[in-house]
Amino acid sequence: MVKRIAVLTSGGDAPGMNAAIRAVVRTGLGYGWDVFGVERGYSGLVNGEFREMGPRSVGGIIQQGGTVLGSARCPEFKTEEGQRRAIRELNQEGIEALVVIGGNGSQTGAHALHKLGFPVVGVASTIDNDLYGSQITIGVDTALNIALEAIDRLKVTASSHERAFLVEVMGRNCGYLALMAGIAGGAEGISLPEFETRPEAVADVIEKAYERGKKHAIIVVAEGAKYDAPALAQYFQEHNEQLGFALRVTTLGHVQRGGMPGAFDRLLGTRLAGHATKQIHAGNYGVLCGQIDGKIGTTPLDEVAGRTKELDPDLVELANVLAK
Ligand code: ADP
Ligand code: F6P
C-alpha cells in the first residue's frame, strides 16, 4: 500500500491547476499518505526539489490562477538519462507514486516514467485543449472567457471607429481556442493552424463585411496559423489589399493564461485530481484522468502519449456558416 506520493505541474500553466494541486494534497492526506509537491515541473523532479504539503499549504489557492508549485519546460527530461535521474530522486525521497498535472508534452513525459516502471497518474491540464483523452482540459474555459471578453471589448471600439481587428489568441499547434472564441465571439473570420487560410481570403472576408455595411470586422487568428496576425497585417500592407476598414492588430498572448479560474475550471481541476488519487489508491497506474463523454474517467497513457486531439469538423463547418 502506497504511503508517500508527489504531485507536479508541468508545461504551460493553466487556471485551475491550483485547484488540482489542492485536491491531490487533501484527498491524499485523507488516505493517510504523506504528500509532497515538486517545484518547477520536471525540472524540479530531476533536481530533487520536493516540499512536503500539509492541508494548510494549499489553503486559499483554489481561486488563484497559475500554479503555486511553479511550472517549467525541461528539455533534460525528454532524455532517458533525465527520466532515470528523476526516478532516482523520487526513490531517494521514498515517493511511491506521482501525479502529473499538465498537457500533451507533460503526459508524454508521464508515459515515459510509467514505461520505466514508476507509478504515475496524469491529470489533463492545458489551455490548448489538444490533449487526447479528455474532452476538455483544465484552464480552457477560463482562457476562452478571457479571450471572449477581449473580443467583445474590441468589437465595441472597432464599431465606433469602423475598423477591422485581427485578434491573435494562443495555440501554437492547435486552433481550439481560436475556433471557439471565434464562434462565441461572433467573429467575421477565423484562421487556424489546422487549415491554411490564404491572406487574400482573409482580406476578402474583411472587404465583404465592409461592403455589406458592417461597422466592424473581427478576425480571430490562432498564434500557430501559417500567417499569424502580424504576418497577415504585413501581407495586407505589402500587397496593398483594399479592406475598406482601417486595420488594427491585438495579440492577447499570455493574458489568456494568467486569469483567475472560473467555477468550471475549479471544479474540473478538483474532480480530475480527486479521481487521480483514487486511481493511486486502487493501484491503477499509467492512466490519464480526463473528462470522457461528460463523465470523469481514465485513458491509458499508452494511448495518450504523443497523440493530439483533433478539432471537431462539425464545429469548423458551423464557424464557416455563421461568419456572415
Ligand atoms: P504541455 O505539457 O503543456 O504540452 P510541453 O509540451 O512544453 O507542455 O511539455 C512540458 C514538459 O514535458 C517538457 O518541458 C518536457 O520536460 C516534458 N516532455 C515533453 N515532451 C516529452 C517527451 N516526448 N518525452 C518526455 N518528456 C517530454
Ligand atoms: O501550451 C499552452 C500555450 O499557452 C500555447 O497556447 C502557447 O503556444 C504556448 O503555451 C506558449 O508557451 P510559453 O509560455 O512557453 O511562451
Short mmCIF file of all heavy atoms in Angstrom, two decimals, residues 181-221:
data_model
loop_
_atom_site.label_atom_id
_atom_site.label_comp_id
_atom_site.label_asym_id
_atom_site.label_seq_id
_atom_site.Cartn_x
_atom_site.Cartn_y
_atom_site.Cartn_z
N ALA A 181 -13.43 30.79 -29.60
CA ALA A 181 -13.54 32.24 -29.34
C ALA A 181 -14.18 32.91 -30.55
O ALA A 181 -14.98 33.84 -30.40
CB ALA A 181 -12.16 32.83 -29.07
N GLY A 182 -13.85 32.42 -31.74
CA GLY A 182 -14.43 32.99 -32.96
C GLY A 182 -15.93 32.74 -33.04
O GLY A 182 -16.71 33.64 -33.37
N ILE A 183 -16.34 31.52 -32.69
CA ILE A 183 -17.77 31.19 -32.74
C ILE A 183 -18.52 31.97 -31.66
O ILE A 183 -19.50 32.66 -31.93
CB ILE A 183 -18.00 29.66 -32.55
CG1 ILE A 183 -17.44 28.87 -33.74
CG2 ILE A 183 -19.49 29.36 -32.36
CD1 ILE A 183 -17.50 27.36 -33.58
N ALA A 184 -18.02 31.88 -30.41
CA ALA A 184 -18.74 32.52 -29.30
C ALA A 184 -18.64 34.03 -29.35
O ALA A 184 -19.50 34.73 -28.81
CB ALA A 184 -18.19 32.00 -27.97
N GLY A 185 -17.60 34.54 -30.00
CA GLY A 185 -17.42 36.00 -30.09
C GLY A 185 -18.06 36.59 -31.34
O GLY A 185 -17.95 37.79 -31.58
N GLY A 186 -18.68 35.74 -32.16
CA GLY A 186 -19.34 36.23 -33.37
C GLY A 186 -18.37 36.86 -34.36
O GLY A 186 -18.67 37.88 -34.99
N ALA A 187 -17.20 36.25 -34.52
CA ALA A 187 -16.19 36.82 -35.42
C ALA A 187 -16.61 36.68 -36.88
O ALA A 187 -17.35 35.76 -37.23
CB ALA A 187 -14.86 36.11 -35.19
N GLU A 188 -16.11 37.59 -37.70
CA GLU A 188 -16.39 37.52 -39.14
C GLU A 188 -15.52 36.46 -39.81
O GLU A 188 -15.88 35.91 -40.84
CB GLU A 188 -16.13 38.90 -39.79
CG GLU A 188 -17.29 39.89 -39.70
CD GLU A 188 -17.61 40.33 -38.28
OE1 GLU A 188 -16.68 40.42 -37.46
OE2 GLU A 188 -18.81 40.55 -37.98
N GLY A 189 -14.36 36.19 -39.22
CA GLY A 189 -13.47 35.18 -39.80
C GLY A 189 -12.58 34.55 -38.74
O GLY A 189 -12.34 35.14 -37.69
N ILE A 190 -12.10 33.33 -39.04
CA ILE A 190 -11.23 32.60 -38.10
C ILE A 190 -10.10 31.97 -38.91
O ILE A 190 -10.35 31.41 -39.98
CB ILE A 190 -12.03 31.47 -37.39
CG1 ILE A 190 -13.24 32.04 -36.65
CG2 ILE A 190 -11.14 30.71 -36.41
CD1 ILE A 190 -14.19 31.00 -36.10
N SER A 191 -8.89 32.05 -38.40
CA SER A 191 -7.77 31.43 -39.09
C SER A 191 -7.05 30.48 -38.13
O SER A 191 -6.66 30.87 -37.03
CB SER A 191 -6.82 32.51 -39.61
OG SER A 191 -5.79 31.89 -40.33
N LEU A 192 -6.90 29.23 -38.53
CA LEU A 192 -6.43 28.16 -37.64
C LEU A 192 -5.15 27.51 -38.16
O LEU A 192 -4.92 27.50 -39.37
CB LEU A 192 -7.51 27.07 -37.55
CG LEU A 192 -8.93 27.54 -37.20
CD1 LEU A 192 -9.93 26.41 -37.37
CD2 LEU A 192 -8.95 28.05 -35.76
N PRO A 193 -4.36 26.92 -37.24
CA PRO A 193 -3.15 26.22 -37.70
C PRO A 193 -3.49 24.97 -38.52
O PRO A 193 -2.71 24.54 -39.36
CB PRO A 193 -2.44 25.79 -36.41
CG PRO A 193 -3.12 26.49 -35.31
CD PRO A 193 -4.47 26.91 -35.78
N GLU A 194 -4.67 24.40 -38.27
CA GLU A 194 -5.04 23.13 -38.90
C GLU A 194 -5.35 23.26 -40.39
O GLU A 194 -5.27 22.28 -41.13
CB GLU A 194 -6.27 22.52 -38.20
CG GLU A 194 -5.99 21.93 -36.83
CD GLU A 194 -5.99 22.97 -35.70
OE1 GLU A 194 -6.05 24.19 -36.02
OE2 GLU A 194 -5.91 22.57 -34.54
N PHE A 195 -5.75 24.46 -40.82
CA PHE A 195 -6.12 24.65 -42.23
C PHE A 195 -5.40 25.90 -42.72
O PHE A 195 -5.48 26.93 -42.05
CB PHE A 195 -7.62 24.89 -42.39
CG PHE A 195 -8.46 23.85 -41.72
CD1 PHE A 195 -8.92 24.04 -40.44
CD2 PHE A 195 -8.77 22.66 -42.38
CE1 PHE A 195 -9.68 23.08 -39.79
CE2 PHE A 195 -9.53 21.70 -41.74
CZ PHE A 195 -9.98 21.91 -40.44
N GLU A 196 -4.79 25.81 -43.88
CA GLU A 196 -4.11 27.02 -44.36
C GLU A 196 -5.13 28.01 -44.93
O GLU A 196 -5.92 27.66 -45.80
CB GLU A 196 -3.06 26.68 -45.42
CG GLU A 196 -2.28 27.93 -45.77
CD GLU A 196 -1.20 27.71 -46.83
OE1 GLU A 196 -0.67 26.59 -46.92
OE2 GLU A 196 -0.92 28.69 -47.54
N THR A 197 -5.15 29.21 -44.38
CA THR A 197 -6.03 30.25 -44.91
C THR A 197 -5.15 31.28 -45.59
O THR A 197 -4.27 31.87 -44.95
CB THR A 197 -6.81 30.93 -43.76
OG1 THR A 197 -7.41 29.90 -42.96
CG2 THR A 197 -7.89 31.85 -44.30
N ARG A 198 -5.33 31.49 -46.86
CA ARG A 198 -4.51 32.46 -47.61
C ARG A 198 -4.85 33.88 -47.14
O ARG A 198 -6.03 34.19 -46.89
CB ARG A 198 -4.78 32.35 -49.11
CG ARG A 198 -4.33 31.05 -49.76
CD ARG A 198 -2.83 30.91 -49.82
NE ARG A 198 -2.18 32.12 -50.34
CZ ARG A 198 -0.91 32.44 -50.11
NH1 ARG A 198 -0.17 31.66 -49.36
NH2 ARG A 198 -0.39 33.53 -50.62
N PRO A 199 -3.87 34.75 -47.05
CA PRO A 199 -4.14 36.14 -46.65
C PRO A 199 -5.17 36.82 -47.55
O PRO A 199 -5.99 37.62 -47.08
CB PRO A 199 -2.78 36.82 -46.79
CG PRO A 199 -1.78 35.73 -46.73
CD PRO A 199 -2.42 34.50 -47.25
N GLU A 200 -5.17 36.47 -48.85
CA GLU A 200 -6.15 37.08 -49.77
C GLU A 200 -7.57 36.73 -49.34
O GLU A 200 -8.50 37.54 -49.47
CB GLU A 200 -5.96 36.57 -51.22
CG GLU A 200 -4.62 36.88 -51.84
CD GLU A 200 -3.57 35.81 -51.52
OE1 GLU A 200 -3.69 35.11 -50.50
OE2 GLU A 200 -2.61 35.71 -52.30
N ALA A 201 -7.74 35.49 -48.84
CA ALA A 201 -9.08 35.06 -48.41
C ALA A 201 -9.52 35.84 -47.18
O ALA A 201 -10.69 36.22 -47.05
CB ALA A 201 -9.07 33.55 -48.11
N VAL A 202 -8.58 36.12 -46.27
CA VAL A 202 -8.91 36.91 -45.07
C VAL A 202 -9.26 38.33 -45.50
O VAL A 202 -10.26 38.92 -45.03
CB VAL A 202 -7.73 36.91 -44.06
CG1 VAL A 202 -8.08 37.73 -42.82
CG2 VAL A 202 -7.35 35.49 -43.66
N ALA A 203 -8.47 38.87 -46.41
CA ALA A 203 -8.74 40.24 -46.90
C ALA A 203 -10.13 40.30 -47.53
O ALA A 203 -10.88 41.27 -47.33
CB ALA A 203 -7.67 40.64 -47.92
N ASP A 204 -10.48 39.25 -48.24
CA ASP A 204 -11.78 39.19 -48.90
C ASP A 204 -12.94 39.21 -47.88
O ASP A 204 -13.94 39.90 -48.07
CB ASP A 204 -11.82 37.91 -49.75
CG ASP A 204 -12.95 37.92 -50.73
OD1 ASP A 204 -13.10 38.96 -51.41
OD2 ASP A 204 -13.71 36.93 -50.79
N VAL A 205 -12.75 38.45 -46.79
CA VAL A 205 -13.77 38.40 -45.72
C VAL A 205 -13.97 39.81 -45.16
O VAL A 205 -15.10 40.27 -44.96
CB VAL A 205 -13.34 37.42 -44.60
CG1 VAL A 205 -14.18 37.59 -43.35
CG2 VAL A 205 -13.41 35.98 -45.09
N ILE A 206 -12.87 40.51 -44.90
CA ILE A 206 -12.95 41.86 -44.32
C ILE A 206 -13.63 42.82 -45.31
O ILE A 206 -14.55 43.58 -44.95
CB ILE A 206 -11.54 42.38 -43.94
CG1 ILE A 206 -10.92 41.46 -42.86
CG2 ILE A 206 -11.60 43.82 -43.45
CD1 ILE A 206 -9.47 41.78 -42.52
N GLU A 207 -13.22 42.74 -46.55
CA GLU A 207 -13.78 43.65 -47.56
C GLU A 207 -15.28 43.41 -47.75
O GLU A 207 -16.07 44.35 -47.85
CB GLU A 207 -13.02 43.44 -48.87
CG GLU A 207 -13.23 44.57 -49.85
CD GLU A 207 -12.63 44.24 -51.22
OE1 GLU A 207 -11.76 43.37 -51.30
OE2 GLU A 207 -13.10 44.86 -52.19
N LYS A 208 -15.66 42.12 -47.75
CA LYS A 208 -17.10 41.79 -47.93
C LYS A 208 -17.91 42.33 -46.75
O LYS A 208 -19.04 42.81 -46.94
CB LYS A 208 -17.27 40.28 -48.04
CG LYS A 208 -16.70 39.70 -49.33
CD LYS A 208 -17.81 39.15 -50.22
CE LYS A 208 -17.36 38.96 -51.66
NZ LYS A 208 -16.28 37.99 -51.81
N ALA A 209 -17.34 42.22 -45.53
CA ALA A 209 -18.04 42.74 -44.34
C ALA A 209 -18.25 44.25 -44.51
O ALA A 209 -19.31 44.79 -44.20
CB ALA A 209 -17.24 42.44 -43.08
N TYR A 210 -17.23 44.92 -45.03
CA TYR A 210 -17.32 46.37 -45.24
C TYR A 210 -18.41 46.68 -46.28
O TYR A 210 -19.27 47.55 -46.07
CB TYR A 210 -15.95 46.89 -45.72
CG TYR A 210 -15.94 48.38 -45.95
CD1 TYR A 210 -15.84 49.26 -44.88
CD2 TYR A 210 -16.03 48.90 -47.24
CE1 TYR A 210 -15.83 50.63 -45.08
CE2 TYR A 210 -16.03 50.27 -47.45
CZ TYR A 210 -15.93 51.13 -46.36
OH TYR A 210 -15.93 52.48 -46.56
N GLU A 211 -18.39 45.92 -47.36
CA GLU A 211 -19.37 46.16 -48.44
C GLU A 211 -20.80 45.91 -47.98
O GLU A 211 -21.73 46.55 -48.44
CB GLU A 211 -19.05 45.27 -49.65
CG GLU A 211 -17.88 45.81 -50.45
CD GLU A 211 -17.39 44.82 -51.49
OE1 GLU A 211 -17.97 43.71 -51.60
OE2 GLU A 211 -16.41 45.15 -52.18
N ARG A 212 -20.96 44.94 -47.06
CA ARG A 212 -22.30 44.64 -46.56
C ARG A 212 -22.79 45.70 -45.57
O ARG A 212 -23.90 45.61 -45.07
CB ARG A 212 -22.32 43.27 -45.88
CG ARG A 212 -22.32 42.11 -46.85
CD ARG A 212 -22.90 40.84 -46.23
NE ARG A 212 -22.23 40.47 -45.00
CZ ARG A 212 -21.07 39.80 -44.92
NH1 ARG A 212 -20.46 39.45 -46.02
NH2 ARG A 212 -20.54 39.48 -43.76
N GLY A 213 -21.94 46.66 -45.27
CA GLY A 213 -22.35 47.76 -44.38
C GLY A 213 -22.10 47.49 -42.92
O GLY A 213 -22.65 48.19 -42.06
N LYS A 214 -21.28 46.47 -42.61
CA LYS A 214 -20.98 46.21 -41.20
C LYS A 214 -20.14 47.35 -40.63
O LYS A 214 -19.42 48.02 -41.36
CB LYS A 214 -20.21 44.89 -41.08
CG LYS A 214 -21.09 43.68 -41.25
CD LYS A 214 -20.44 42.48 -40.61
CE LYS A 214 -21.45 41.37 -40.42
NZ LYS A 214 -21.05 40.43 -39.41
N LYS A 215 -20.23 47.51 -39.32
CA LYS A 215 -19.47 48.58 -38.65
C LYS A 215 -18.08 48.11 -38.25
O LYS A 215 -17.24 48.87 -37.82
CB LYS A 215 -20.23 49.02 -37.38
CG LYS A 215 -21.53 49.73 -37.67
CD LYS A 215 -21.22 51.21 -37.82
CE LYS A 215 -22.51 52.00 -37.98
NZ LYS A 215 -22.26 53.27 -38.66
N HIS A 216 -17.87 46.82 -38.30
CA HIS A 216 -16.57 46.28 -37.87
C HIS A 216 -16.37 44.91 -38.53
O HIS A 216 -17.33 44.34 -39.06
CB HIS A 216 -16.56 46.08 -36.34
CG HIS A 216 -17.58 45.08 -35.90
ND1 HIS A 216 -18.74 45.43 -35.25
CD2 HIS A 216 -17.63 43.72 -36.05
CE1 HIS A 216 -19.44 44.34 -35.02
NE2 HIS A 216 -18.80 43.30 -35.50
N ALA A 217 -15.14 44.45 -38.48
CA ALA A 217 -14.87 43.04 -38.84
C ALA A 217 -13.84 42.52 -37.86
O ALA A 217 -12.81 43.16 -37.63
CB ALA A 217 -14.34 42.95 -40.27
N ILE A 218 -14.17 41.38 -37.23
CA ILE A 218 -13.24 40.78 -36.27
C ILE A 218 -12.76 39.45 -36.85
O ILE A 218 -13.57 38.57 -37.18
CB ILE A 218 -13.95 40.51 -34.91
CG1 ILE A 218 -14.54 41.78 -34.31
CG2 ILE A 218 -13.00 39.80 -33.93
CD1 ILE A 218 -13.56 42.76 -33.73
N ILE A 219 -11.46 39.32 -36.98
CA ILE A 219 -10.89 38.06 -37.44
C ILE A 219 -10.08 37.48 -36.28
O ILE A 219 -9.14 38.12 -35.79
CB ILE A 219 -9.92 38.28 -38.65
CG1 ILE A 219 -10.59 39.11 -39.76
CG2 ILE A 219 -9.40 36.95 -39.17
CD1 ILE A 219 -11.74 38.45 -40.48
N VAL A 220 -10.44 36.28 -35.84
CA VAL A 220 -9.69 35.64 -34.76
C VAL A 220 -8.62 34.74 -35.41
O VAL A 220 -8.94 33.87 -36.22
CB VAL A 220 -10.60 34.81 -33.84
CG1 VAL A 220 -9.79 34.17 -32.72
CG2 VAL A 220 -11.68 35.71 -33.23
N VAL A 221 -7.38 34.99 -35.04
CA VAL A 221 -6.27 34.27 -35.65
C VAL A 221 -5.54 33.47 -34.56
O VAL A 221 -5.16 34.03 -33.52
CB VAL A 221 -5.25 35.27 -36.28
CG1 VAL A 221 -4.15 34.52 -37.02
CG2 VAL A 221 -5.97 36.24 -37.21
#
